[in-house]
Amino acid sequence: MDSAEFRQRGREMVDYIVEYMETLGERRVTPSVEPGYLREIIPKNAPEEGEKWEEIMSDVESKIMPGVAHWQHPRFHAYFPSGNSFPSILGDMLSDGIGAIGFSWAASPACTELETIVLDWLGQMIGLPDEFLSFSDNSKGGGVMQSSASECVLVSLLAARAQKIKELKTLHPFVEEGVLLSKLVAYCSKEAHSCVEKAAMIAFTKLRILDPDENLSLRGTTLAQAIEEDRALGLIPFFVSATLGTTSCEAGTWLHVDAAYAGNAFICPEFKYLMDGIEFAMSFNTNPNKWLLTNFDCSTMWVRDRFKLTQAMVVDPLYLQHSHSGKAIDYRHWGIPLSRRFRALKLWFVIRNYGVAGLQNYIREHCRLAKCFESLVKADERFEVCNTVKMGLVCFRVKGDNELNQKLLLNINASGKLHMVPASIHGRFIIRFCVCAQDAKDSDIEYAWNVITDFATELLNEEVNLSKSVLSLDGLESCDEHIDQLEISELMDLMETVQFPIQKPHRKHGSWLKLLGTRVRKIVKNGDSH
Ligand code: PLP
């Protein structure tokens, strides 16, 4: 492809993307394909010669799109939003065009400097204390972009681990690092994201997962008690991951605050109270690629002391050094990969193009719509809301057992009309409804609620029918011992009466139905009509 063709194809691609976004609502929200579907329709080997652009694009529509889950679809309410906006897409496109790998200041100075500036902008917008910003007076802190929240948590944990081992080595110089490592213990709440468990697993440190209170918050007293117990056992507490700043930190441990989704809302003054306690934190992360209209990947992280972070990461071969190493930031020391894309561009584009006010409006609109959804759930006595709705997420369920809720979600998702995912709160199966689409509207919320209630009504009616058949089964339980004596015609009558072939048998009648089944099989096999 030469530059003239790139111009043409680039314009066509923008048209394709706009068309895709504008007609997204007409597609199924999730695909109805089976694993391996693509292998069947794509050649087994790469083409020897280059192919025509038209042919490639035609395969996008016919082969790729049928297997795409449309995260930007107005009916997508699963997980959290996947940030997306035109300025962000254009920022990423420019970054791809520049194609720089900004691992150090010298490797691409603008890449590093814009990242530092934009991280300070965003840090100020969400109200982080000055110590976390690069350009505040006497600051030792600063911000960096990582690929994901999981990476932010891992990097923080690795930094905390390195600090603690260093501290212990000065106290016990002759004790092996491996022995010291075996004593370290980290903490998080049972409600924390699984990435904390993964980080501890990778770092080879123990993790104690603590029970939250009835509001799902990890309390300081719970943590303090766990730390005291572990110290008494000779363990060394070194890291705490809190989901928001609700946990005060024990001396000597590194508190990381993971606010992957919610942290974006702190750009609105009314949510800043949730940052209370941030003064105890050593590091903090939030994902603009979730809820700040910025495309993946863009996970922002700040540390109070950048030297403590980089000490865990510095490896400095000669070929990566440069003459400004002493006075410039080299982000390769702030994380795991060496190579880094120019990610700051897209966030810079987004913040400048929307402005703080535009981004606040976007967050507030999602929160308002979540409240509308909550009101609809609360107004229907068959349902209950299971979380305190503060932001864009509503957790709800049908009043009934887990199986019923599981079935409801399965039916809705299988229809392709809406997509939501489950979670478990205190052992109860709940359905998560998140406002995700960039320009979600009241009509989308109403549509979603209509789909949910239609499926729920159908399912609850089925349940009523099932309990009717269970009632007739109840009367027949006493037949247990007689089943073996029944004639085929009597068996047929019996099966018709209980309507059991239509419904999943009730657990209670499992053994009775088994007897019936055995008898039928025997008749079929032996032609036995007794
Ligand atoms: N932490 C929290 C609180 C999250 O909500 C999530 C994802 O939703 C993650 C971590 C993982 O994020 P990532 O996919 O960026 O690793």
Side-chain angles (χ1 to χ4, degrees), residues 80 147-151 193 195 243 258-261 287 289-290 296 299:
F80 284 127
S147 301
S148 66
S150 308
E151 212 173 304
H193 191 268
C195 68
T243 299
D258 174 13
Y261 165 74
N287 281 20
N289 68 242
K290 284 197 195 313
F296 187 79
S299 192

